[in-house]
């Protein structure tokens, strides 16, 4: 078993001065914490893995392919591998847990 605390992960991510912290990598999946501040741009490019996002705090919007929706705490978004996507119109600092399958390199 591996157990993680979001507050600890967010503190580690901030200490490393990065928007993303991968905290788990296993044979079939990986997981990380992604953070974007209110008003910030999301520089993501499509990934070769399927992704699931769980918004743990904040508010904004996400566009996946041609579809756009608002997100807030508790939102879960699936992004198929290779699909363009990005968060935008971030009105409250976003903290998003992301799971990749297969794992990111």
């Amino acid at each position: 078993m591996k157990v993680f605390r979001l507050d600890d992960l967010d503190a580690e991510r901030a200490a490393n001065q990065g928007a993303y912290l991968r905290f788990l990598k296993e044979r079939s999946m990986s997981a990380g914490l992604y953070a974007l501040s209110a008003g910030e741009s999301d520089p993501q490019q499509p990934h070769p893995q399927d992704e699931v996002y769980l918004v743990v705090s904040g508010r904004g919007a996400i566009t996946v392919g041609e579809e756009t929706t608002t997100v807030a705490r508790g939102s879960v978004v699936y992004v198929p591998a290779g699909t363009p996507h990005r968060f935008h119109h971030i009105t409250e600092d976003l903290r998003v847990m992301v799971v990749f399958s297969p794992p990111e390199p």
Side-chain angles (χ1 to χ4, degrees), residues 15-69:
N16 290 312
Q17 300 178 348
Y20 181 71
L21 171 71
R22 182 176 63 203
F23 61 88
L24 179 68
K25 183 175 182 184
E26 297 295 332
R27 181 182 51 78
S28 62
M29 50 87 62
S30 61
L33 183 65
Y34 189 43
L36 293 165
S37 298
E40 189 174 358
S41 296
D42 182 3
Q44 289 193 76
Q45 298 295 316
H47 306 287
Q49 306 89 354
D50 287 338
E51 298 175 74
V52 174
Y53 289 106
L54 168 63
V55 178
V56 296
S57 64
R59 291 185 179 279
I62 187 170
T63 298
V64 177
E66 300 295 320
E67 296 180 83
T68 298
T69 190

